[in-house]
Tab-separated table of all heavy atoms in Angstrom:
chain	number	residue	atom	x	y	z
K	387	MET	N	-56.219	51.311	40.760
K	387	MET	CA	-57.023	51.430	39.568
K	387	MET	C	-58.191	50.459	39.642
K	387	MET	O	-58.080	49.383	40.211
K	387	MET	CB	-56.195	51.136	38.322
K	387	MET	CG	-55.075	52.102	38.108
K	387	MET	SD	-54.362	51.837	36.491
K	387	MET	CE	-54.367	53.491	35.913
K	388	SER	N	-59.293	50.861	39.072
K	388	SER	CA	-60.472	50.002	39.050
K	388	SER	C	-61.091	50.025	37.654
K	388	SER	O	-60.730	50.830	36.807
K	388	SER	CB	-61.481	50.457	40.097
K	388	SER	OG	-61.880	51.773	39.841
K	389	VAL	N	-62.028	49.132	37.450
K	389	VAL	CA	-62.667	48.967	36.150
K	389	VAL	C	-64.120	49.413	36.240
K	389	VAL	O	-64.793	49.157	37.233
K	389	VAL	CB	-62.607	47.483	35.713
K	389	VAL	CG1	-63.324	47.278	34.400
K	389	VAL	CG2	-61.170	47.014	35.623
K	390	SER	N	-64.583	50.079	35.209
K	390	SER	CA	-65.985	50.480	35.129
K	390	SER	C	-66.590	49.902	33.847
K	390	SER	O	-65.984	49.984	32.775
K	390	SER	CB	-66.104	52.008	35.092
K	390	SER	OG	-67.437	52.387	34.817
K	391	TYR	N	-67.763	49.310	33.989
K	391	TYR	CA	-68.472	48.750	32.840
K	391	TYR	C	-69.698	49.589	32.485
K	391	TYR	O	-70.610	49.105	31.826
K	391	TYR	CB	-68.883	47.300	33.127
K	391	TYR	CG	-67.698	46.396	33.349
K	391	TYR	CD1	-67.372	45.965	34.630
K	391	TYR	CD2	-66.895	46.003	32.294
K	391	TYR	CE1	-66.269	45.147	34.844
K	391	TYR	CE2	-65.799	45.176	32.491
K	391	TYR	CZ	-65.492	44.756	33.771
K	391	TYR	OH	-64.401	43.945	33.976
K	392	LYS	N	-69.709	50.857	32.890
K	392	LYS	CA	-70.847	51.735	32.590
K	392	LYS	C	-71.087	51.861	31.094
K	392	LYS	O	-72.228	51.970	30.642
K	392	LYS	CB	-70.631	53.122	33.204
K	392	LYS	CG	-70.772	53.140	34.708
K	392	LYS	CD	-70.581	54.539	35.256
K	392	LYS	CE	-70.694	54.514	36.780
K	392	LYS	NZ	-70.485	55.851	37.348
K	393	LYS	N	-70.016	51.822	30.316
K	393	LYS	CA	-70.159	51.898	28.864
K	393	LYS	C	-70.940	50.696	28.329
K	393	LYS	O	-71.728	50.829	27.393
K	393	LYS	CB	-68.791	51.961	28.190
K	393	LYS	CG	-68.058	53.269	28.396
K	393	LYS	CD	-66.752	53.249	27.631
K	393	LYS	CE	-66.043	54.585	27.664
K	393	LYS	NZ	-64.848	54.568	26.803
K	394	LEU	N	-70.722	49.523	28.926
K	394	LEU	CA	-71.455	48.325	28.515
K	394	LEU	C	-72.944	48.491	28.779
K	394	LEU	O	-73.774	48.189	27.919
K	394	LEU	CB	-70.921	47.092	29.240
K	394	LEU	CG	-71.704	45.796	29.045
K	394	LEU	CD1	-71.751	45.398	27.573
K	394	LEU	CD2	-71.120	44.680	29.896
K	395	TRP	N	-73.286	48.979	29.958
K	395	TRP	CA	-74.705	49.142	30.314
K	395	TRP	C	-75.376	50.157	29.395
K	395	TRP	O	-76.519	49.967	28.982
K	395	TRP	CB	-74.867	49.528	31.779
K	395	TRP	CG	-74.082	48.654	32.710
K	395	TRP	CD1	-73.303	49.062	33.752
K	395	TRP	CD2	-73.979	47.218	32.692
K	395	TRP	NE1	-72.731	47.964	34.359
K	395	TRP	CE2	-73.122	46.834	33.735
K	395	TRP	CE3	-74.519	46.225	31.886
K	395	TRP	CZ2	-72.799	45.504	33.995
K	395	TRP	CZ3	-74.194	44.895	32.136
K	395	TRP	CH2	-73.346	44.548	33.180
K	396	LYS	N	-74.668	51.233	29.061
K	396	LYS	CA	-75.229	52.232	28.141
K	396	LYS	C	-75.419	51.624	26.756
K	396	LYS	O	-76.448	51.850	26.110
K	396	LYS	CB	-74.334	53.459	28.065
K	396	LYS	CG	-74.883	54.499	27.098
K	396	LYS	CD	-74.289	55.848	27.292
K	396	LYS	CE	-74.820	56.907	26.380
K	396	LYS	NZ	-75.764	56.584	25.368
K	397	LEU	N	-74.450	50.827	26.326
K	397	LEU	CA	-74.544	50.183	25.018
K	397	LEU	C	-75.739	49.232	24.955
K	397	LEU	O	-76.463	49.193	23.954
K	397	LEU	CB	-73.245	49.433	24.720
K	397	LEU	CG	-73.046	48.866	23.321
K	397	LEU	CD1	-73.086	49.974	22.279
K	397	LEU	CD2	-71.729	48.120	23.244
K	398	LEU	N	-75.962	48.490	26.032
K	398	LEU	CA	-77.111	47.593	26.078
K	398	LEU	C	-78.421	48.380	26.000
K	398	LEU	O	-79.355	47.972	25.303
K	398	LEU	CB	-77.091	46.739	27.343
K	398	LEU	CG	-76.012	45.654	27.415
K	398	LEU	CD1	-76.131	44.888	28.725
K	398	LEU	CD2	-76.093	44.711	26.239
K	399	ILE	N	-78.494	49.495	26.704
K	399	ILE	CA	-79.690	50.342	26.662
K	399	ILE	C	-79.907	50.875	25.244
K	399	ILE	O	-81.011	50.830	24.712
K	399	ILE	CB	-79.585	51.504	27.674
K	399	ILE	CG1	-79.669	50.952	29.100
K	399	ILE	CG2	-80.659	52.555	27.417
K	399	ILE	CD1	-79.288	51.954	30.172
K	400	ASP	N	-78.823	51.353	24.626
K	400	ASP	CA	-78.926	51.902	23.274
K	400	ASP	C	-79.397	50.849	22.275
K	400	ASP	O	-80.107	51.167	21.318
K	400	ASP	CB	-77.579	52.470	22.819
K	400	ASP	CG	-77.184	53.722	23.583
K	400	ASP	OD1	-78.050	54.313	24.261
K	400	ASP	OD2	-75.992	54.100	23.516
K	401	ARG	N	-79.006	49.610	22.492
K	401	ARG	CA	-79.383	48.520	21.577
K	401	ARG	C	-80.644	47.779	22.035
K	401	ARG	O	-81.018	46.779	21.454
K	401	ARG	CB	-78.223	47.538	21.438
K	401	ARG	CG	-77.022	48.190	20.783
K	401	ARG	CD	-75.958	47.214	20.470
K	401	ARG	NE	-74.790	47.895	19.927
K	401	ARG	CZ	-73.796	47.285	19.341
K	401	ARG	NH1	-73.804	45.973	19.214
K	401	ARG	NH2	-72.776	47.966	18.872
K	402	GLU	N	-81.250	48.300	23.086
K	402	GLU	CA	-82.473	47.715	23.647
K	402	GLU	C	-82.306	46.226	23.943
K	402	GLU	O	-83.159	45.407	23.620
K	402	GLU	CB	-83.659	47.968	22.714
K	402	GLU	CG	-83.964	49.444	22.545
K	402	GLU	CD	-85.135	49.723	21.626
K	402	GLU	OE1	-85.687	48.784	21.032
K	402	GLU	OE2	-85.495	50.913	21.513
K	403	MET	N	-81.182	45.904	24.587
K	403	MET	CA	-80.885	44.527	24.988
K	403	MET	C	-80.942	44.413	26.496
K	403	MET	O	-80.602	45.361	27.204
K	403	MET	CB	-79.473	44.105	24.544
K	403	MET	CG	-79.320	43.766	23.098
K	403	MET	SD	-77.646	43.199	22.729
K	403	MET	CE	-77.696	41.541	23.374
K	404	LYS	N	-81.346	43.257	26.964
K	404	LYS	CA	-81.321	42.975	28.394
K	404	LYS	C	-80.072	42.166	28.710
K	404	LYS	O	-79.466	41.568	27.819
K	404	LYS	CB	-82.570	42.198	28.792
K	404	LYS	CG	-83.828	43.001	28.589
K	404	LYS	CD	-85.029	42.259	29.057
K	404	LYS	CE	-86.240	43.164	28.802
K	404	LYS	NZ	-87.417	42.726	29.435
K	405	LYS	N	-79.713	42.159	29.974
K	405	LYS	CA	-78.522	41.417	30.395
K	405	LYS	C	-78.645	39.939	30.042
K	405	LYS	O	-77.676	39.329	29.600
K	405	LYS	CB	-78.282	41.589	31.895
K	405	LYS	CG	-77.851	42.993	32.275
K	405	LYS	CD	-77.645	43.095	33.774
K	405	LYS	CE	-77.280	44.505	34.183
K	405	LYS	NZ	-77.066	44.630	35.623
K	406	LYS	N	-79.829	39.377	30.203
K	406	LYS	CA	-80.013	37.957	29.901
K	406	LYS	C	-79.859	37.703	28.402
K	406	LYS	O	-79.383	36.645	27.998
K	406	LYS	CB	-81.348	37.440	30.421
K	406	LYS	CG	-82.565	38.003	29.747
K	406	LYS	CD	-83.823	37.389	30.301
K	406	LYS	CE	-85.046	37.932	29.571
K	406	LYS	NZ	-86.261	37.299	30.030
K	407	ASP	N	-80.243	38.677	27.567
K	407	ASP	CA	-80.050	38.547	26.122
K	407	ASP	C	-78.557	38.512	25.783
K	407	ASP	O	-78.128	37.729	24.932
K	407	ASP	CB	-80.707	39.709	25.373
K	407	ASP	CG	-82.214	39.779	25.587
K	407	ASP	OD1	-82.826	38.714	25.806
K	407	ASP	OD2	-82.753	40.904	25.543
K	408	LEU	N	-77.794	39.364	26.461
K	408	LEU	CA	-76.350	39.387	26.242
K	408	LEU	C	-75.717	38.077	26.702
K	408	LEU	O	-74.849	37.542	26.024
K	408	LEU	CB	-75.708	40.574	26.965
K	408	LEU	CG	-74.195	40.678	26.814
K	408	LEU	CD1	-73.787	40.825	25.355
K	408	LEU	CD2	-73.642	41.841	27.632
K	409	CYS	N	-76.156	37.556	27.837
K	409	CYS	CA	-75.639	36.261	28.322
K	409	CYS	C	-75.810	35.181	27.268
K	409	CYS	O	-74.884	34.415	26.991
K	409	CYS	CB	-76.359	35.833	29.605
K	409	CYS	SG	-75.836	36.690	31.081
K	410	ALA	N	-76.985	35.141	26.672
K	410	ALA	CA	-77.265	34.117	25.667
K	410	ALA	C	-76.458	34.345	24.389
K	410	ALA	O	-75.858	33.415	23.859
K	410	ALA	CB	-78.757	34.100	25.353
K	411	LYS	N	-76.420	35.584	23.921
K	411	LYS	CA	-75.737	35.891	22.666
K	411	LYS	C	-74.222	35.716	22.781
K	411	LYS	O	-73.572	35.227	21.856
K	411	LYS	CB	-76.077	37.317	22.221
K	411	LYS	CG	-75.586	37.653	20.839
K	411	LYS	CD	-76.142	38.970	20.357
K	411	LYS	CE	-75.674	39.232	18.930
K	411	LYS	NZ	-76.207	40.464	18.391
K	412	ALA	N	-73.660	36.115	23.928
K	412	ALA	CA	-72.209	36.034	24.126
K	412	ALA	C	-71.777	34.700	24.729
K	412	ALA	O	-70.587	34.453	24.868
K	412	ALA	CB	-71.747	37.183	25.018
K	413	ARG	N	-72.756	33.885	25.117
K	413	ARG	CA	-72.476	32.592	25.750
K	413	ARG	C	-71.612	32.765	27.006
K	413	ARG	O	-70.577	32.132	27.164
K	413	ARG	CB	-71.827	31.614	24.770
K	413	ARG	CG	-72.743	31.253	23.617
K	413	ARG	CD	-72.090	30.336	22.606
K	413	ARG	NE	-71.078	31.080	21.846
K	413	ARG	CZ	-69.785	30.741	21.804
K	413	ARG	NH1	-69.347	29.680	22.404
K	413	ARG	NH2	-68.939	31.468	21.127
K	414	ILE	N	-72.054	33.674	27.885
K	414	ILE	CA	-71.383	33.855	29.172
K	414	ILE	C	-72.356	33.492	30.293
K	414	ILE	O	-73.566	33.520	30.097
K	414	ILE	CB	-70.853	35.298	29.365
K	414	ILE	CG1	-71.986	36.325	29.327
K	414	ILE	CG2	-69.803	35.631	28.322
K	414	ILE	CD1	-71.558	37.726	29.691
K	415	SER	N	-71.810	33.161	31.444
K	415	SER	CA	-72.641	32.724	32.563
K	415	SER	C	-73.279	33.917	33.274
K	415	SER	O	-72.824	35.061	33.157
K	415	SER	CB	-71.796	31.940	33.562
K	415	SER	OG	-70.883	32.802	34.214
K	416	HIS	N	-74.324	33.604	34.019
K	416	HIS	CA	-74.970	34.641	34.825
K	416	HIS	C	-74.034	35.101	35.937
K	416	HIS	O	-74.112	36.256	36.368
K	416	HIS	CB	-76.291	34.125	35.393
K	416	HIS	CG	-77.308	33.873	34.323
K	416	HIS	ND1	-77.961	34.888	33.668
K	416	HIS	CD2	-77.766	32.721	33.771
K	416	HIS	CE1	-78.786	34.379	32.768
K	416	HIS	NE2	-78.689	33.061	32.807
K	417	ALA	N	-73.142	34.224	36.376
K	417	ALA	CA	-72.157	34.606	37.400
K	417	ALA	C	-71.206	35.670	36.852
K	417	ALA	O	-70.866	36.632	37.551
K	417	ALA	CB	-71.377	33.380	37.863
K	418	SER	N	-70.791	35.514	35.599
K	418	SER	CA	-69.927	36.525	34.975
K	418	SER	C	-70.668	37.842	34.836
K	418	SER	O	-70.102	38.915	35.069
K	418	SER	CB	-69.450	36.056	33.606
K	418	SER	OG	-68.589	34.964	33.724
K	419	MET	N	-71.939	37.768	34.484
K	419	MET	CA	-72.743	38.988	34.360
K	419	MET	C	-72.882	39.675	35.715
K	419	MET	O	-72.825	40.895	35.805
K	419	MET	CB	-74.117	38.654	33.774
K	419	MET	CG	-74.966	39.861	33.500
K	419	MET	SD	-74.264	41.062	32.350
K	419	MET	CE	-74.316	40.159	30.824
K	420	ALA	N	-73.033	38.885	36.771
K	420	ALA	CA	-73.130	39.451	38.117
K	420	ALA	C	-71.830	40.156	38.487
K	420	ALA	O	-71.855	41.243	39.091
K	420	ALA	CB	-73.449	38.361	39.130
K	421	LYS	N	-70.699	39.569	38.128
K	421	LYS	CA	-69.400	40.206	38.396
K	421	LYS	C	-69.301	41.531	37.648
K	421	LYS	O	-68.809	42.528	38.193
K	421	LYS	CB	-68.252	39.288	37.985
K	421	LYS	CG	-67.999	38.167	38.938
K	421	LYS	CD	-66.774	37.380	38.504
K	421	LYS	CE	-66.439	36.291	39.495
K	421	LYS	NZ	-65.194	35.591	39.119
K	422	LEU	N	-69.743	41.546	36.406
K	422	LEU	CA	-69.723	42.787	35.630
K	422	LEU	C	-70.594	43.849	36.304
K	422	LEU	O	-70.226	45.015	36.368
K	422	LEU	CB	-70.223	42.533	34.208
K	422	LEU	CG	-69.304	41.716	33.306
K	422	LEU	CD1	-70.055	41.267	32.059
K	422	LEU	CD2	-68.071	42.498	32.927
K	423	GLY	N	-71.739	43.425	36.819
K	423	GLY	CA	-72.656	44.351	37.489
K	423	GLY	C	-72.068	44.966	38.746
K	423	GLY	O	-72.432	46.072	39.133
K	424	LYS	N	-71.130	44.246	39.362
K	424	LYS	CA	-70.471	44.741	40.575
K	424	LYS	C	-69.121	45.376	40.266
K	424	LYS	O	-68.357	45.682	41.174
K	424	LYS	CB	-70.259	43.587	41.554
K	424	LYS	CG	-71.543	42.954	42.039
K	424	LYS	CD	-71.227	41.758	42.906
K	424	LYS	CE	-72.485	40.976	43.241
K	424	LYS	NZ	-72.170	39.718	43.935
K	425	SER	N	-68.818	45.552	38.982
K	425	SER	CA	-67.531	46.096	38.521
K	425	SER	C	-66.352	45.283	39.055
K	425	SER	O	-65.310	45.833	39.385
K	425	SER	CB	-67.379	47.574	38.889
K	425	SER	OG	-68.310	48.343	38.171
K	426	GLU	N	-66.540	43.973	39.124
K	426	GLU	CA	-65.468	43.075	39.543
K	426	GLU	C	-64.709	42.587	38.311
K	426	GLU	O	-65.170	42.740	37.179
K	426	GLU	CB	-66.044	41.885	40.311
K	426	GLU	CG	-66.683	42.267	41.623
K	426	GLU	CD	-67.278	41.078	42.363
K	426	GLU	OE1	-67.238	39.942	41.844
K	426	GLU	OE2	-67.798	41.292	43.463
K	427	ASN	N	-63.548	41.989	38.553
K	427	ASN	CA	-62.735	41.468	37.459
K	427	ASN	C	-63.382	40.235	36.839
K	427	ASN	O	-63.927	39.393	37.544
K	427	ASN	CB	-61.339	41.103	37.961
K	427	ASN	CG	-60.546	42.316	38.381
K	427	ASN	OD1	-60.739	43.401	37.857
K	427	ASN	ND2	-59.642	42.132	39.324
K	428	VAL	N	-63.320	40.153	35.529
K	428	VAL	CA	-63.749	38.972	34.782
K	428	VAL	C	-62.610	38.593	33.840
K	428	VAL	O	-61.695	39.385	33.606
K	428	VAL	CB	-65.047	39.224	33.977
K	428	VAL	CG1	-66.225	39.469	34.890
K	428	VAL	CG2	-64.884	40.368	33.003
K	429	THR	N	-62.680	37.400	33.291
K	429	THR	CA	-61.601	36.953	32.408
K	429	THR	C	-61.645	37.707	31.077
K	429	THR	O	-62.684	38.231	30.670
K	429	THR	CB	-61.698	35.444	32.129
K	429	THR	OG1	-62.903	35.188	31.407
K	429	THR	CG2	-61.671	34.637	33.419
K	430	THR	N	-60.509	37.710	30.424
K	430	THR	CA	-60.422	38.331	29.109
K	430	THR	C	-61.343	37.622	28.135
K	430	THR	O	-61.945	38.258	27.265
K	430	THR	CB	-58.965	38.280	28.602
K	430	THR	OG1	-58.115	38.849	29.594
K	430	THR	CG2	-58.804	39.043	27.300
K	431	ASP	N	-61.485	36.313	28.286
K	431	ASP	CA	-62.372	35.546	27.417
K	431	ASP	C	-63.801	36.077	27.475
K	431	ASP	O	-64.462	36.211	26.441
K	431	ASP	CB	-62.340	34.063	27.811
K	431	ASP	CG	-63.213	33.220	26.911
K	431	ASP	OD1	-62.977	33.226	25.681
K	431	ASP	OD2	-64.137	32.563	27.435
K	432	VAL	N	-64.271	36.395	28.656
K	432	VAL	CA	-65.624	36.944	28.812
K	432	VAL	C	-65.736	38.277	28.073
K	432	VAL	O	-66.705	38.515	27.347
K	432	VAL	CB	-65.990	37.114	30.308
K	432	VAL	CG1	-67.260	37.927	30.478
K	432	VAL	CG2	-66.122	35.760	30.977
K	433	LEU	N	-64.748	39.126	28.229
K	433	LEU	CA	-64.775	40.436	27.569
K	433	LEU	C	-64.737	40.288	26.047
K	433	LEU	O	-65.462	40.987	25.328
K	433	LEU	CB	-63.611	41.297	28.046
K	433	LEU	CG	-63.617	41.640	29.539
K	433	LEU	CD1	-62.339	42.364	29.916
K	433	LEU	CD2	-64.827	42.451	29.927
K	434	VAL	N	-63.934	39.352	25.551
K	434	VAL	CA	-63.842	39.121	24.110
K	434	VAL	C	-65.162	38.579	23.572
K	434	VAL	O	-65.628	38.989	22.503
K	434	VAL	CB	-62.677	38.165	23.780
K	434	VAL	CG1	-62.714	37.699	22.336
K	434	VAL	CG2	-61.349	38.834	24.085
K	435	ARG	N	-65.806	37.689	24.315
K	435	ARG	CA	-67.097	37.152	23.886
K	435	ARG	C	-68.149	38.255	23.799
K	435	ARG	O	-68.960	38.294	22.877
K	435	ARG	CB	-67.580	36.069	24.846
K	435	ARG	CG	-66.849	34.769	24.710
K	435	ARG	CD	-67.314	33.816	25.792
K	435	ARG	NE	-66.551	32.597	25.766
K	435	ARG	CZ	-67.091	31.394	25.629
K	435	ARG	NH1	-68.398	31.252	25.528
K	435	ARG	NH2	-66.335	30.321	25.612
K	436	ILE	N	-68.133	39.156	24.782
K	436	ILE	CA	-69.082	40.277	24.776
K	436	ILE	C	-68.829	41.175	23.567
K	436	ILE	O	-69.759	41.555	22.855
K	436	ILE	CB	-69.000	41.080	26.089
K	436	ILE	CG1	-69.540	40.245	27.249
K	436	ILE	CG2	-69.761	42.403	25.972
K	436	ILE	CD1	-69.298	40.843	28.617
K	437	CYS	N	-67.560	41.498	23.335
K	437	CYS	CA	-67.220	42.351	22.191
K	437	CYS	C	-67.619	41.697	20.872
K	437	CYS	O	-68.140	42.368	19.974
K	437	CYS	CB	-65.724	42.662	22.189
K	437	CYS	SG	-65.226	43.798	23.492
K	438	SER	N	-67.406	40.406	20.760
K	438	SER	CA	-67.798	39.686	19.541
K	438	SER	C	-69.309	39.696	19.364
K	438	SER	O	-69.812	39.925	18.259
K	438	SER	CB	-67.300	38.242	19.596
K	438	SER	OG	-65.903	38.207	19.576
K	439	ALA	N	-70.034	39.471	20.451
K	439	ALA	CA	-71.494	39.442	20.380
K	439	ALA	C	-72.071	40.807	20.021
K	439	ALA	O	-73.076	40.900	19.313
K	439	ALA	CB	-72.067	38.956	21.707
K	440	LEU	N	-71.447	41.851	20.516
K	440	LEU	CA	-71.952	43.205	20.270
K	440	LEU	C	-71.278	43.892	19.081
K	440	LEU	O	-71.607	45.032	18.754
K	440	LEU	CB	-71.767	44.070	21.534
K	440	LEU	CG	-72.552	43.621	22.763
K	440	LEU	CD1	-72.196	44.501	23.959
K	440	LEU	CD2	-74.049	43.649	22.496
K	441	ASN	N	-70.301	43.189	18.487
K	441	ASN	CA	-69.553	43.728	17.353
K	441	ASN	C	-68.957	45.098	17.691
K	441	ASN	O	-69.224	46.103	17.023
K	441	ASN	CB	-70.439	43.810	16.110
K	441	ASN	CG	-69.640	44.024	14.848
K	441	ASN	OD1	-68.484	43.614	14.779
K	441	ASN	ND2	-70.241	44.656	13.869
K	442	CYS	N	-68.198	45.120	18.789
K	442	CYS	CA	-67.596	46.371	19.238
K	442	CYS	C	-66.175	46.112	19.746
K	442	CYS	O	-65.716	44.981	19.779
K	442	CYS	CB	-68.451	47.006	20.331
K	442	CYS	SG	-68.517	46.059	21.860
K	443	ASP	N	-65.509	47.154	20.148
K	443	ASP	CA	-64.151	47.083	20.686
K	443	ASP	C	-64.218	47.086	22.205
K	443	ASP	O	-65.204	47.560	22.783
K	443	ASP	CB	-63.348	48.283	20.176
K	443	ASP	CG	-61.879	48.159	20.486
K	443	ASP	OD1	-61.229	47.242	19.959
K	443	ASP	OD2	-61.388	48.982	21.278
K	444	ILE	N	-63.167	46.612	22.848
K	444	ILE	CA	-63.165	46.527	24.313
K	444	ILE	C	-63.325	47.906	24.961
K	444	ILE	O	-63.937	48.029	26.014
K	444	ILE	CB	-61.914	45.789	24.823
K	444	ILE	CG1	-62.126	45.361	26.263
K	444	ILE	CG2	-60.666	46.627	24.666
K	444	ILE	CD1	-61.305	44.195	26.706
K	445	GLY	N	-62.813	48.933	24.316
K	445	GLY	CA	-62.965	50.292	24.836
K	445	GLY	C	-64.400	50.797	24.802
K	445	GLY	O	-64.736	51.774	25.463
K	446	ASP	N	-65.249	50.104	24.034
K	446	ASP	CA	-66.654	50.478	23.956
K	446	ASP	C	-67.476	49.922	25.111
K	446	ASP	O	-68.618	50.340	25.309
K	446	ASP	CB	-67.274	49.969	22.648
K	446	ASP	CG	-66.630	50.588	21.419
K	446	ASP	OD1	-66.176	51.750	21.503
K	446	ASP	OD2	-66.590	49.908	20.374
K	447	ILE	N	-66.902	48.967	25.873
K	447	ILE	CA	-67.666	48.348	26.956
K	447	ILE	C	-67.076	48.577	28.341
K	447	ILE	O	-67.732	48.319	29.340
K	447	ILE	CB	-67.846	46.825	26.732
K	447	ILE	CG1	-66.509	46.092	26.761
K	447	ILE	CG2	-68.603	46.561	25.448
K	447	ILE	CD1	-66.631	44.583	26.825
K	448	MET	N	-65.838	49.046	28.401
K	448	MET	CA	-65.222	49.237	29.711
K	448	MET	C	-64.206	50.360	29.681
K	448	MET	O	-63.793	50.799	28.625
K	448	MET	CB	-64.525	47.952	30.182
K	448	MET	CG	-63.349	47.545	29.324
K	448	MET	SD	-62.451	46.112	29.938
K	448	MET	CE	-61.587	46.811	31.317
K	449	GLU	N	-63.858	50.812	30.892
K	449	GLU	CA	-62.779	51.800	31.016
K	449	GLU	C	-62.065	51.578	32.338
K	449	GLU	O	-62.656	51.071	33.296
K	449	GLU	CB	-63.298	53.231	30.886
K	449	GLU	CG	-64.267	53.656	31.950
K	449	GLU	CD	-64.810	55.061	31.715
K	449	GLU	OE1	-64.149	55.871	31.048
K	449	GLU	OE2	-65.899	55.346	32.223
K	450	ILE	N	-60.812	51.956	32.377
K	450	ILE	CA	-60.008	51.854	33.580
K	450	ILE	C	-60.050	53.215	34.270
K	450	ILE	O	-59.808	54.248	33.657
K	450	ILE	CB	-58.534	51.507	33.243
K	450	ILE	CG1	-58.448	50.250	32.388
K	450	ILE	CG2	-57.719	51.385	34.516
K	450	ILE	CD1	-58.952	48.999	33.049
K	451	LEU	N	-60.401	53.171	35.548
K	451	LEU	CA	-60.494	54.416	36.328
K	451	LEU	C	-59.309	54.528	37.274
K	451	LEU	O	-58.930	53.553	37.921
K	451	LEU	CB	-61.792	54.441	37.135
K	451	LEU	CG	-63.088	54.317	36.350
K	451	LEU	CD1	-64.259	54.235	37.292
K	451	LEU	CD2	-63.245	55.492	35.407
K	452	ASN	N	-58.768	55.704	37.355
K	452	ASN	CA	-57.715	55.982	38.311
K	452	ASN	C	-58.379	56.212	39.656
K	452	ASN	O	-59.238	57.083	39.795
K	452	ASN	CB	-56.927	57.218	37.856
K	452	ASN	CG	-55.718	57.491	38.707
K	452	ASN	OD1	-55.579	56.962	39.812
K	452	ASN	ND2	-54.834	58.318	38.190
K	453	ASP	N	-58.030	55.431	40.676
K	453	ASP	CA	-58.692	55.517	41.971
K	453	ASP	C	-58.607	56.896	42.606
K	453	ASP	O	-59.487	57.296	43.347
K	453	ASP	CB	-58.120	54.464	42.941
K	453	ASP	CG	-58.543	53.061	42.543
K	453	ASP	OD1	-59.597	52.921	41.902
K	453	ASP	OD2	-57.823	52.109	42.880
K	454	SER	N	-57.578	57.658	42.303
K	454	SER	CA	-57.477	58.998	42.882
K	454	SER	C	-58.553	59.913	42.316
K	454	SER	O	-59.011	60.821	42.981
K	454	SER	CB	-56.096	59.596	42.630
K	454	SER	OG	-55.859	59.765	41.241
K	455	ASN	N	-59.002	59.661	41.066
K	455	ASN	CA	-60.069	60.468	40.460
K	455	ASN	C	-61.433	60.130	41.052
K	455	ASN	O	-62.318	60.961	41.071
K	455	ASN	CB	-60.113	60.258	38.956
K	455	ASN	CG	-58.913	60.856	38.255
K	455	ASN	OD1	-58.211	61.694	38.813
K	455	ASN	ND2	-58.652	60.418	37.054
K	456	ILE	N	-61.600	58.913	41.545
K	456	ILE	CA	-62.875	58.484	42.090
K	456	ILE	C	-63.169	59.230	43.387
K	456	ILE	O	-64.288	59.613	43.672
K	456	ILE	CB	-62.890	56.959	42.333
K	456	ILE	CG1	-62.793	56.239	40.984
K	456	ILE	CG2	-64.135	56.524	43.056
K	456	ILE	CD1	-62.582	54.751	41.100
K	457	ALA	N	-62.137	59.445	44.211
K	457	ALA	CA	-62.305	60.083	45.509
K	457	ALA	C	-62.709	61.554	45.387
K	457	ALA	O	-63.287	62.118	46.284
K	457	ALA	CB	-61.027	59.952	46.324
K	458	GLU	N	-62.389	62.166	44.269
K	458	GLU	CA	-62.678	63.598	44.101
K	458	GLU	C	-64.122	63.889	43.896
K	458	GLU	O	-64.924	63.192	43.466
K	458	GLU	CB	-61.860	64.146	42.928
K	458	GLU	CG	-60.383	64.095	43.190
K	458	GLU	CD	-59.573	64.554	41.977
K	458	GLU	OE1	-60.167	64.954	40.959
K	458	GLU	OE2	-58.360	64.517	42.057
């Protein structure tokens, strides 16, 4: 299983926010943002900070992908 943050990127576009704006508002590091950009694992704290900053639920910023579906 893998994680996709495509929902986060779409949400940022819809709200006309840049990644650096989210870093500042959510108080997360640029390294964490880089991990998100590569669909790598980040701590739950980072995800909670993003959700708090954007006033959304975790399901609004990420989804779990079944690796067998990716290959298709």
